[in-house]
Amino acid sequence: MQRFLESLKLLVFGRPIATERAQRPALRTRLALPVFGASLLSTVAYAPDAVIDALRKGAVQSTLPWMALGVVAIMVLLGFAYRSNVRKRPDERGDYGIVRDRLGPNAGLVTGSALLVDYIFTVAVSVAAISQFVVFVIPDSSGWHTQIALLAIAVMTLANLRGIRERARLMFAVWFGFLLMVGIVFVFGATRDDVAPLTTVPPEAAWSSALAFAGAIASGAVMLTGIEHLSSSAPYHAEPRAKRAGRTLILAVLAGAVAFLAVSLMVWRFRVSGWQSGPVLLQAADRIFHAPWALWLVAVPTVAILYAAASSVFRRFAGLSSLLAQDSFLPRQLAQQSDRMVFRGAVLWVAGFSAIVVVVTGARLEQLVHMYLIGAFAAIVLSQLAMIRLMSARIALQPSGRVRLRMMGTRALHGAAAGVAAGVWIIIAVFNFGAGAWFALLLVVALVLLMRGISAHYANVREQLEILPDDPASARPSSTHGIVLVAQLHRPALRAVAYAKAARHASLQAVAVQIEPRATAELQRQWGELGLSVPLVILDSPYRDLASPVLEHVRSTHLQSPRDMVVVYVPEYIVGRWWERFLHNRASMRLRSKLLSIPRVVVAAVPWHLSSALGEGEAASFTRELAQVEALDGDPDE
């Protein structure tokens, strides 16, 4: 069974990867662009849906081009601001690193929490979008939105647990294939002359229209949610890393802005009002081409880039959680990589939480979009404030000249970006509060409190474990007392007694708990016949409890000599078949865990390997060696 499990693990996870073989890629811009820009470009698949949905509530769909231009302006502003981020801090810590270093650990903690929540909702939104595209081109799958989304999460989870990474050249095909598809849709749509003319004159001012415009800008800001991934990609670029990473970021933002504007114009030109179900991109394509094959032409590259974007989020979540774990804000196990160089714990966490979000919301894209902008823009605002402080510190060191003026211009850029991002965040929090933003806010606050508690715990542990001058922990105990637990007299018990004798304790005794008087009397008789020269202590248990009498006896032994150490030997079977584990050692495992809670008590598990654990050849060899040792020793008890 053990070999079967090892083969299954090898099949699922793949062969281990040696540390020296794990090297970071050094990508040029043309390959780094699709690898790190997939998250930003993939939002084109559902950002127009969010904008048109907001405008529909105010019956102002005709203003879609102006709203799209507003979103593009925000994208360009934040794109150039984040290019400055990358050039000033070309490391993989991204927003979390710059905020923690410049605004303090608490602000960094908020940023890390906001980004983790953003990543969870990014996965949920991406798979919900995948399910919408699949259902639109395969109508028979209608009603299976949640199942399709969960299946996508399962596939991504298995791929990331195995450590499968998208090849740069494959991502090149996916990224540029999606752009090519958008270009084809735009060209064919723009050249159609059988479309009624439209107007973009906004209606008369009204509260409903104002709310719709604000909601449209906030929803369109979803186009910026992948920018943080680009800002932490510098270590994976070829030299000069900072310059190449900044160039990659700007190109990705501009490509996303052009694609978003092109799709929005086609949606507006072909009167996709948002009242029909299905992605507006596919609705526009359907009205442009009037052919089922064209829908597949649009859907396949879109699903591919959505999958690539969501899969990359798994690694971003794992990388950030590893940084937070290293800083003692999350369990330290999340900072440990598996034999495939994968943070498996983090992969399972993001998969589990995103699956819960999908199930709770029913994979409804319009609801999920309102939820996950909170975390992304909270991190953007804090990172821009951190950059303002960084530039102010550098300006103070630069007395005069063009360099100082350039630095002041960069600080003004970050100030404008912070103001715009803060305005968008406030709009999202206010206008989308009832639509789901409250849930994201609650998750961020809960995660901050949780991580503060974890950090306080680790700080308390470090304080308790710190070595002091003349530390008493290094003092040798006055003496040690051995206790061998004996449930029945067999070879494992004899082995435990022999090990305890070899330790030469100040005192040694065997302890048994009386449940059945007849069994106890038989044990005493056998013990006397063997002449083991170790006293056997029988503990009474009127309520048939094994653990309590042993714990009380160990405590009483300890009280008699508080400065001494008590060593408890527990014989245990080592089995080889999986089903045998449920038949042995259950009581001893529970007893060991309780004994470990007693100070100055050491628990020693004495293993006895059954034949199923050794195999036939090893079992025969072990039996022969044991017989030879007993023959040489004469008396195994001496």
Side-chain angles (χ1 to χ4, degrees):
M1 185 64 185
Q2 187 68 24
R3 292 181 179 178
F4 171 75
L5 293 177
E6 291 178 357
S7 300
L8 182 62
K9 178 183 177 182
L10 186 65
L11 177 64
V12 174
F13 298 121
R15 296 185 180 278
I17 299 176
T19 304
E20 58 270 14
R21 289 182 54 197
Q23 298 180 355
R24 285 181 175 177
L27 301 175
R28 295 185 177 274
T29 300
R30 65 176 179 273
L31 293 180
L33 188 59
V35 170
F36 297 102
S39 295
L40 191 145
L41 188 61
S42 68
T43 55
V44 176
Y46 49 84
D49 298 69
V51 175
I52 199 70
D53 180 66
L55 294 176
R56 177 173 55 83
K57 296 176 181 178
V60 287
Q61 295 96 318
S62 62
T63 61
L64 178 59
W66 301 112
M67 294 299 102
L69 287 173
V71 171
V72 167
I74 295 174
M75 290 181 64
V76 173
L77 173 64
L78 291 179
F80 279 97
Y82 263 90
R83 185 184 67 166
S84 175
N85 281 35
V86 174
R87 291 188 170 185
K88 302 300 186 300
R89 284 289 301 264
D91 56 44
E92 62 183 358
R93 299 177 74 88
D95 286 350
Y96 169 70
I98 183 64
V99 172
R100 189 182 190 280
D101 293 344
R102 290 294 165 179
L103 302 182
N106 289 330
L109 182 59
V110 174
T111 303
S113 302
L115 287 174
L116 290 180
V117 172
D118 170 49
Y119 294 159
I120 291 171
F121 282 111
T122 299
V123 174
V125 168
S126 298
V127 297
I130 289 175
S131 68
Q132 281 204 350
F133 276 84
V134 171
V135 169
F136 195 92
V137 297
I138 307 177
D140 292 340
S141 62
S142 178
W144 291 78
H145 289 83
T146 303
Q147 291 83 347
I148 295 172
L150 292 177
L151 178 61
I153 291 177
V155 173
M156 295 174 194
T157 303
L158 290 175
N160 281 276
L161 288 176
R162 188 179 173 88
I164 297 176
R165 298 178 181 272
E166 294 83 357
R167 298 287 182 181
R169 300 189 186 280
L170 176 61
M171 288 299 301
F172 182 90
V174 170
W175 202 80
F176 284 99
F178 180 78
L179 279 180
L180 178 62
M181 178 272 297
V182 172
I184 292 173
V185 171
F186 180 78
V187 169
F188 274 84
T191 55
R192 286 276 302 274
D193 55 3
D194 55 344
V195 181
L198 296 176
T199 178
T200 59
V201 178
E204 296 182 0
W207 276 109
S208 59
S209 299
L211 292 176
F213 295 150
I217 292 294
S219 298
V222 73
M223 287 295 304
L224 273 302
T225 52
I227 199 169
E228 195 275 337
H229 190 201
L230 288 157
S231 69
S232 58
S233 65
Y236 302 92
H237 282 73
E239 293 289 354
R241 290 189 172 91
K243 184 177 180 179
R244 288 185 184 275
R247 184 190 307 156
T248 299
L249 190 148
I250 286 297
L251 290 176
V253 169
L254 293 178
V258 170
F260 170 73
L261 191 58
V263 173
S264 299
L265 289 175
M266 290 303 99
V267 169
W268 164 75
R269 189 165 193 262
F270 286 88
R271 299 180 181 274
V272 178
S273 60
W275 291 103
Q276 299 84 3
S277 61
V280 296
L281 175 57
L282 287 182
Q283 293 184 45
D286 188 28
R287 299 182 186 186
I288 292 172
F289 297 105
H290 298 292
W293 61 266
L295 296 182
W296 285 92
L297 178 68
V298 174
V300 170
T302 305
V303 169
I305 198 166
L306 285 169
Y307 176 89
S311 184
S312 67
V313 170
F314 278 77
R315 292 188 293 277
R316 287 155 58 193
F317 184 95
L320 178 58
S321 61
S322 172
L323 295 175
L324 290 166
Q326 293 173 25
D327 292 338
S328 299
F329 288 125
L330 286 177
R332 290 173 180 166
Q333 298 90 323
L334 294 179
Q336 298 175 356
Q337 291 181 313
S338 67
D339 55 5
R340 288 284 298 177
M341 306 297 293
V342 173
F343 297 102
R344 286 179 181 164
V347 169
L348 294 174
W349 275 106
V350 67
F353 281 120
S354 58
I356 292 173
V357 171
V358 165
V359 172
V360 171
T361 59
R364 292 189 297 273
L365 184 61
E366 63 277 6
Q367 183 177 359
L368 287 168
V369 167
H370 297 314
M371 291 183 176
Y372 92 118
L373 288 172
I374 287 291
F377 271 84
I380 290 174
V381 172
L382 289 172
S383 73
Q384 296 310 300
L385 293 177
M387 287 301 298
I388 292 173
R389 180 165 293 186
L390 173 63
M391 295 310 302
S392 297
R394 294 190 176 185
I395 290 171
L397 300 176
Q398 191 70 31
S400 61
R402 293 183 178 180
V403 176
R404 180 182 175 88
L405 291 176
R406 192 181 304 116
M407 289 182 176
M408 294 179 67
T410 303
R411 183 174 64 178
L413 172 65
H414 289 294
V420 171
V424 172
W425 189 89
I426 292 172
I427 292 174
I428 295 169
V430 172
F431 291 97
N432 291 347
F433 185 84
W438 66 269
F439 184 62
L441 285 168
L442 181 64
L443 281 182
V444 172
V445 172
L447 196 52
V448 168
L449 295 176
L450 174 63
M451 290 199 287
R452 284 180 63 90
I454 292 174
S455 179
H457 167 75
Y458 279 134
N460 183 38
V461 170
R462 281 194 301 269
E463 183 180 355
Q464 295 187 49
L465 300 183
E466 185 178 359
I467 298 177
L468 304 174
D470 301 326
D471 202 305
S474 61
R476 295 177 59 182
S478 301
S479 61
T480 61
H481 304 275
I483 296 177
V484 182
L485 299 184
V486 180
Q488 52 185 313
L489 196 54
H490 45 31
R491 300 177 77 184
L494 294 181
R495 172 62 59 82
V497 171
Y499 283 176
K501 284 183 176 182
R504 300 185 182 278
H505 298 288
S507 66
L508 179 62
Q509 59 182 216
V511 172
V513 179
Q514 176 174 277
I515 302 297
E516 294 291 338
R518 292 183 180 179
T520 303
E522 179 63 20
L523 174 62
Q524 289 175 311
R525 185 188 64 78
Q526 294 178 350
W527 196 269
E529 290 179 353
L530 287 176
L532 297 177
S533 67
V534 175
L536 176 65
V537 177
I538 304 298
L539 304 178
D540 189 31
S541 180
Y543 299 103
R544 298 162 301 283
D545 181 16
L546 290 174
S548 298
V550 173
L551 296 174
E552 187 62 32
H553 180 73
V554 171
R555 289 193 182 97
S556 64
T557 303
H558 203 292
L559 289 174
Q560 295 173 7
S561 305
R563 297 182 59 187
D564 296 350
M565 186 78 71
V566 178
V567 182
V568 181
Y569 296 87
V570 183
E572 289 189 4
Y573 302 127
I574 305 300
V575 298
R577 302 182 182 91
W578 66 270
W579 53 268
E580 291 179 322
R581 298 173 187 173
F582 298 98
L583 305 178
H584 300 281
N585 298 331
R586 311 306 294 180
S588 63
M589 290 174 62
R590 290 191 293 267
L591 180 57
R592 275 200 295 131
S593 63
K594 293 181 179 180
L595 286 169
L596 289 172
S597 64
I598 304 176
R600 299 185 68 81
V601 171
V602 176
V603 181
V606 182
W608 183 269
H609 294 79
L610 298 180
S611 59
S612 61
L614 295 173
E616 295 181 2
E618 292 179 344
S621 176
F622 176 75
T623 302
R624 288 195 301 269
E625 292 177 3
L626 184 63
Q628 292 173 2
V629 171
E630 293 178 351
L632 290 174
D633 290 346
D635 185 0
D637 300 325
E638 293 298 329

